[in-house]
Amino acid sequence: MKINLEVAKYYSFQSITSTNDFARELLADNDLVIVSALHQTKGRGRNINQWYGSYGNNIYASIGIKHKSDISTFTLAVIQAASSLAVKNTLSKLSKEDLFRIKYPNDIYALHQGNYKKISGILIEHSFAGSGCISSIIGIGINVNEKSFPPELQHTAVSLSQIGINADINQIKDDLTHNFFEL
């Protein structure tokens, strides 16, 4: 599956319900979209989980791909693996230490005070017409500058700033996009 990044249309918002939902709408008229926001009001994870994050402190982004031809189930698995690897590789370049692990299929964990905690989640949603996959949306949330989490997440979530990494959100988004399409 070869994707031409030059045809991508970029959309950036202050606040949006969900970057995945908006990417799905945009794929009606576009082949490749990248949607980001400073905040999501209804960000979600797998199953019934929601994605927590405060305004302007984290990455909330989605890559939407309209498939021009039938793709195999193997390719769908490659999209999942490439997504996880792209996030891990992007984060790993921010530290000289080996702090990040993939919890397959859709989470990235970071070492913090001797324990691994969730720093990123990936939500992939495929759309089908019959048995053929017509589009894929890769939603990525990364905790970058989050200072604190609600009580129910304090022992399981962490941000880059909490593990001592100061990073520019826009640079991470650019690196992440590049890494995903390179894979």
PDB file of all heavy atoms in Angstrom, residues 57-76:
ATOM      1  N   ASN A  57      -2.653  20.686  25.745  1.00  0.00           N
ATOM      2  CA  ASN A  57      -1.507  20.042  26.388  1.00  0.00           C
ATOM      3  C   ASN A  57      -1.084  18.721  25.771  1.00  0.00           C
ATOM      4  O   ASN A  57      -0.083  18.148  26.199  1.00  0.00           O
ATOM      5  CB  ASN A  57      -1.799  19.815  27.873  1.00  0.00           C
ATOM      6  CG  ASN A  57      -1.686  21.094  28.655  1.00  0.00           C
ATOM      7  OD1 ASN A  57      -0.809  21.913  28.393  1.00  0.00           O
ATOM      8  ND2 ASN A  57      -2.586  21.279  29.602  1.00  0.00           N
ATOM      9  N   ASN A  58      -1.842  18.234  24.802  1.00  0.00           N
ATOM     10  CA  ASN A  58      -1.582  16.895  24.291  1.00  0.00           C
ATOM     11  C   ASN A  58      -1.807  16.840  22.790  1.00  0.00           C
ATOM     12  O   ASN A  58      -2.249  17.806  22.174  1.00  0.00           O
ATOM     13  CB  ASN A  58      -2.495  15.890  25.001  1.00  0.00           C
ATOM     14  CG  ASN A  58      -2.348  15.977  26.500  1.00  0.00           C
ATOM     15  OD1 ASN A  58      -1.285  15.719  27.045  1.00  0.00           O
ATOM     16  ND2 ASN A  58      -3.409  16.383  27.183  1.00  0.00           N
ATOM     17  N   ILE A  59      -1.537  15.688  22.220  1.00  0.00           N
ATOM     18  CA  ILE A  59      -1.798  15.476  20.798  1.00  0.00           C
ATOM     19  C   ILE A  59      -3.093  14.712  20.656  1.00  0.00           C
ATOM     20  O   ILE A  59      -3.285  13.652  21.266  1.00  0.00           O
ATOM     21  CB  ILE A  59      -0.637  14.711  20.135  1.00  0.00           C
ATOM     22  CG1 ILE A  59       0.602  15.607  20.114  1.00  0.00           C
ATOM     23  CG2 ILE A  59      -1.024  14.242  18.736  1.00  0.00           C
ATOM     24  CD1 ILE A  59       1.845  14.944  19.598  1.00  0.00           C
ATOM     25  N   TYR A  60      -3.960  15.274  19.854  1.00  0.00           N
ATOM     26  CA  TYR A  60      -5.222  14.641  19.460  1.00  0.00           C
ATOM     27  C   TYR A  60      -5.226  14.715  17.941  1.00  0.00           C
ATOM     28  O   TYR A  60      -5.392  15.800  17.376  1.00  0.00           O
ATOM     29  CB  TYR A  60      -6.430  15.392  20.016  1.00  0.00           C
ATOM     30  CG  TYR A  60      -6.291  15.765  21.477  1.00  0.00           C
ATOM     31  CD1 TYR A  60      -5.933  17.060  21.855  1.00  0.00           C
ATOM     32  CD2 TYR A  60      -6.506  14.826  22.470  1.00  0.00           C
ATOM     33  CE1 TYR A  60      -5.801  17.407  23.185  1.00  0.00           C
ATOM     34  CE2 TYR A  60      -6.371  15.169  23.808  1.00  0.00           C
ATOM     35  CZ  TYR A  60      -6.020  16.462  24.161  1.00  0.00           C
ATOM     36  OH  TYR A  60      -5.879  16.803  25.477  1.00  0.00           O
ATOM     37  N   ALA A  61      -5.005  13.606  17.269  1.00  0.00           N
ATOM     38  CA  ALA A  61      -4.861  13.642  15.815  1.00  0.00           C
ATOM     39  C   ALA A  61      -5.408  12.374  15.185  1.00  0.00           C
ATOM     40  O   ALA A  61      -5.434  11.312  15.814  1.00  0.00           O
ATOM     41  CB  ALA A  61      -3.389  13.810  15.448  1.00  0.00           C
ATOM     42  N   SER A  62      -5.828  12.519  13.938  1.00  0.00           N
ATOM     43  CA  SER A  62      -6.303  11.369  13.163  1.00  0.00           C
ATOM     44  C   SER A  62      -5.801  11.474  11.739  1.00  0.00           C
ATOM     45  O   SER A  62      -5.736  12.562  11.168  1.00  0.00           O
ATOM     46  CB  SER A  62      -7.836  11.316  13.145  1.00  0.00           C
ATOM     47  OG  SER A  62      -8.347  11.103  14.433  1.00  0.00           O
ATOM     48  N   ILE A  63      -5.462  10.323  11.201  1.00  0.00           N
ATOM     49  CA  ILE A  63      -5.086  10.207   9.795  1.00  0.00           C
ATOM     50  C   ILE A  63      -6.189   9.401   9.130  1.00  0.00           C
ATOM     51  O   ILE A  63      -6.485   8.279   9.561  1.00  0.00           O
ATOM     52  CB  ILE A  63      -3.734   9.489   9.638  1.00  0.00           C
ATOM     53  CG1 ILE A  63      -2.628  10.275  10.364  1.00  0.00           C
ATOM     54  CG2 ILE A  63      -3.401   9.278   8.167  1.00  0.00           C
ATOM     55  CD1 ILE A  63      -1.328   9.509  10.521  1.00  0.00           C
ATOM     56  N   GLY A  64      -6.807   9.978   8.107  1.00  0.00           N
ATOM     57  CA  GLY A  64      -7.867   9.289   7.372  1.00  0.00           C
ATOM     58  C   GLY A  64      -7.387   8.935   5.982  1.00  0.00           C
ATOM     59  O   GLY A  64      -6.860   9.789   5.261  1.00  0.00           O
ATOM     60  N   ILE A  65      -7.555   7.670   5.598  1.00  0.00           N
ATOM     61  CA  ILE A  65      -7.096   7.179   4.299  1.00  0.00           C
ATOM     62  C   ILE A  65      -8.275   6.531   3.578  1.00  0.00           C
ATOM     63  O   ILE A  65      -8.889   5.602   4.097  1.00  0.00           O
ATOM     64  CB  ILE A  65      -5.980   6.121   4.469  1.00  0.00           C
ATOM     65  CG1 ILE A  65      -4.822   6.680   5.300  1.00  0.00           C
ATOM     66  CG2 ILE A  65      -5.513   5.612   3.115  1.00  0.00           C
ATOM     67  CD1 ILE A  65      -3.866   5.618   5.814  1.00  0.00           C
ATOM     68  N   LYS A  66      -8.563   7.027   2.364  1.00  0.00           N
ATOM     69  CA  LYS A  66      -9.565   6.379   1.519  1.00  0.00           C
ATOM     70  C   LYS A  66      -8.818   5.397   0.621  1.00  0.00           C
ATOM     71  O   LYS A  66      -7.883   5.788  -0.087  1.00  0.00           O
ATOM     72  CB  LYS A  66     -10.307   7.402   0.666  1.00  0.00           C
ATOM     73  CG  LYS A  66     -11.461   6.799  -0.123  1.00  0.00           C
ATOM     74  CD  LYS A  66     -12.105   7.779  -1.082  1.00  0.00           C
ATOM     75  CE  LYS A  66     -12.750   8.936  -0.387  1.00  0.00           C
ATOM     76  NZ  LYS A  66     -13.392   9.889  -1.317  1.00  0.00           N
ATOM     77  N   HIS A  67      -9.210   4.143   0.659  1.00  0.00           N
ATOM     78  CA  HIS A  67      -8.527   3.115  -0.129  1.00  0.00           C
ATOM     79  C   HIS A  67      -9.077   3.115  -1.552  1.00  0.00           C
ATOM     80  O   HIS A  67     -10.284   3.050  -1.757  1.00  0.00           O
ATOM     81  CB  HIS A  67      -8.680   1.746   0.524  1.00  0.00           C
ATOM     82  CG  HIS A  67      -8.162   1.716   1.925  1.00  0.00           C
ATOM     83  ND1 HIS A  67      -6.830   1.911   2.230  1.00  0.00           N
ATOM     84  CD2 HIS A  67      -8.792   1.544   3.115  1.00  0.00           C
ATOM     85  CE1 HIS A  67      -6.662   1.848   3.544  1.00  0.00           C
ATOM     86  NE2 HIS A  67      -7.840   1.625   4.105  1.00  0.00           N
ATOM     87  N   LYS A  68      -8.173   3.200  -2.508  1.00  0.00           N
ATOM     88  CA  LYS A  68      -8.543   3.259  -3.928  1.00  0.00           C
ATOM     89  C   LYS A  68      -8.897   1.888  -4.496  1.00  0.00           C
ATOM     90  O   LYS A  68      -9.577   1.787  -5.497  1.00  0.00           O
ATOM     91  CB  LYS A  68      -7.390   3.855  -4.733  1.00  0.00           C
ATOM     92  CG  LYS A  68      -7.038   5.265  -4.349  1.00  0.00           C
ATOM     93  CD  LYS A  68      -7.950   6.200  -5.027  1.00  0.00           C
ATOM     94  CE  LYS A  68      -7.445   7.614  -4.821  1.00  0.00           C
ATOM     95  NZ  LYS A  68      -8.343   8.586  -5.327  1.00  0.00           N
ATOM     96  N   SER A  69      -8.383   0.841  -3.866  1.00  0.00           N
ATOM     97  CA  SER A  69      -8.650  -0.512  -4.341  1.00  0.00           C
ATOM     98  C   SER A  69      -8.770  -1.427  -3.124  1.00  0.00           C
ATOM     99  O   SER A  69      -8.512  -1.023  -1.994  1.00  0.00           O
ATOM    100  CB  SER A  69      -7.522  -0.984  -5.267  1.00  0.00           C
ATOM    101  OG  SER A  69      -6.288  -0.957  -4.576  1.00  0.00           O
ATOM    102  N   ASP A  70      -9.166  -2.662  -3.383  1.00  0.00           N
ATOM    103  CA  ASP A  70      -9.294  -3.621  -2.285  1.00  0.00           C
ATOM    104  C   ASP A  70      -7.957  -3.792  -1.585  1.00  0.00           C
ATOM    105  O   ASP A  70      -6.904  -3.864  -2.231  1.00  0.00           O
ATOM    106  CB  ASP A  70      -9.746  -4.984  -2.819  1.00  0.00           C
ATOM    107  CG  ASP A  70     -11.212  -4.994  -3.208  1.00  0.00           C
ATOM    108  OD1 ASP A  70     -11.938  -4.068  -2.804  1.00  0.00           O
ATOM    109  OD2 ASP A  70     -11.621  -5.924  -3.925  1.00  0.00           O
ATOM    110  N   ILE A  71      -8.026  -3.841  -0.274  1.00  0.00           N
ATOM    111  CA  ILE A  71      -6.817  -4.127   0.490  1.00  0.00           C
ATOM    112  C   ILE A  71      -7.049  -5.399   1.290  1.00  0.00           C
ATOM    113  O   ILE A  71      -8.182  -5.727   1.661  1.00  0.00           O
ATOM    114  CB  ILE A  71      -6.402  -2.944   1.398  1.00  0.00           C
ATOM    115  CG1 ILE A  71      -7.467  -2.627   2.438  1.00  0.00           C
ATOM    116  CG2 ILE A  71      -6.089  -1.713   0.573  1.00  0.00           C
ATOM    117  CD1 ILE A  71      -7.007  -1.626   3.476  1.00  0.00           C
ATOM    118  N   SER A  72      -5.984  -6.092   1.539  1.00  0.00           N
ATOM    119  CA  SER A  72      -6.080  -7.384   2.219  1.00  0.00           C
ATOM    120  C   SER A  72      -6.196  -7.211   3.724  1.00  0.00           C
ATOM    121  O   SER A  72      -5.890  -6.148   4.269  1.00  0.00           O
ATOM    122  CB  SER A  72      -4.832  -8.214   1.891  1.00  0.00           C
ATOM    123  OG  SER A  72      -3.693  -7.608   2.486  1.00  0.00           O
ATOM    124  N   THR A  73      -6.604  -8.270   4.385  1.00  0.00           N
ATOM    125  CA  THR A  73      -6.629  -8.248   5.845  1.00  0.00           C
ATOM    126  C   THR A  73      -5.213  -8.109   6.386  1.00  0.00           C
ATOM    127  O   THR A  73      -5.010  -7.538   7.457  1.00  0.00           O
ATOM    128  CB  THR A  73      -7.303  -9.504   6.418  1.00  0.00           C
ATOM    129  OG1 THR A  73      -6.666 -10.662   5.876  1.00  0.00           O
ATOM    130  CG2 THR A  73      -8.785  -9.540   6.073  1.00  0.00           C
ATOM    131  N   PHE A  74      -4.236  -8.618   5.637  1.00  0.00           N
ATOM    132  CA  PHE A  74      -2.839  -8.430   6.027  1.00  0.00           C
ATOM    133  C   PHE A  74      -2.498  -6.942   6.073  1.00  0.00           C
ATOM    134  O   PHE A  74      -1.851  -6.473   7.002  1.00  0.00           O
ATOM    135  CB  PHE A  74      -1.907  -9.165   5.053  1.00  0.00           C
ATOM    136  CG  PHE A  74      -0.449  -8.912   5.337  1.00  0.00           C
ATOM    137  CD1 PHE A  74       0.195  -9.573   6.371  1.00  0.00           C
ATOM    138  CD2 PHE A  74       0.268  -8.001   4.571  1.00  0.00           C
ATOM    139  CE1 PHE A  74       1.539  -9.326   6.648  1.00  0.00           C
ATOM    140  CE2 PHE A  74       1.606  -7.749   4.838  1.00  0.00           C
ATOM    141  CZ  PHE A  74       2.246  -8.408   5.870  1.00  0.00           C
ATOM    142  N   THR A  75      -2.948  -6.190   5.079  1.00  0.00           N
ATOM    143  CA  THR A  75      -2.679  -4.749   5.037  1.00  0.00           C
ATOM    144  C   THR A  75      -3.342  -4.044   6.204  1.00  0.00           C
ATOM    145  O   THR A  75      -2.778  -3.101   6.773  1.00  0.00           O
ATOM    146  CB  THR A  75      -3.133  -4.146   3.694  1.00  0.00           C
ATOM    147  OG1 THR A  75      -2.444  -4.813   2.635  1.00  0.00           O
ATOM    148  CG2 THR A  75      -2.839  -2.656   3.624  1.00  0.00           C
ATOM    149  N   LEU A  76      -4.514  -4.478   6.602  1.00  0.00           N
ATOM    150  CA  LEU A  76      -5.171  -3.893   7.775  1.00  0.00           C
ATOM    151  C   LEU A  76      -4.318  -4.118   9.023  1.00  0.00           C
ATOM    152  O   LEU A  76      -4.187  -3.224   9.858  1.00  0.00           O
ATOM    153  CB  LEU A  76      -6.570  -4.482   7.963  1.00  0.00           C
ATOM    154  CG  LEU A  76      -7.573  -4.206   6.848  1.00  0.00           C
ATOM    155  CD1 LEU A  76      -8.911  -4.883   7.153  1.00  0.00           C
ATOM    156  CD2 LEU A  76      -7.755  -2.729   6.619  1.00  0.00           C
TER     157      LEU A  76
END
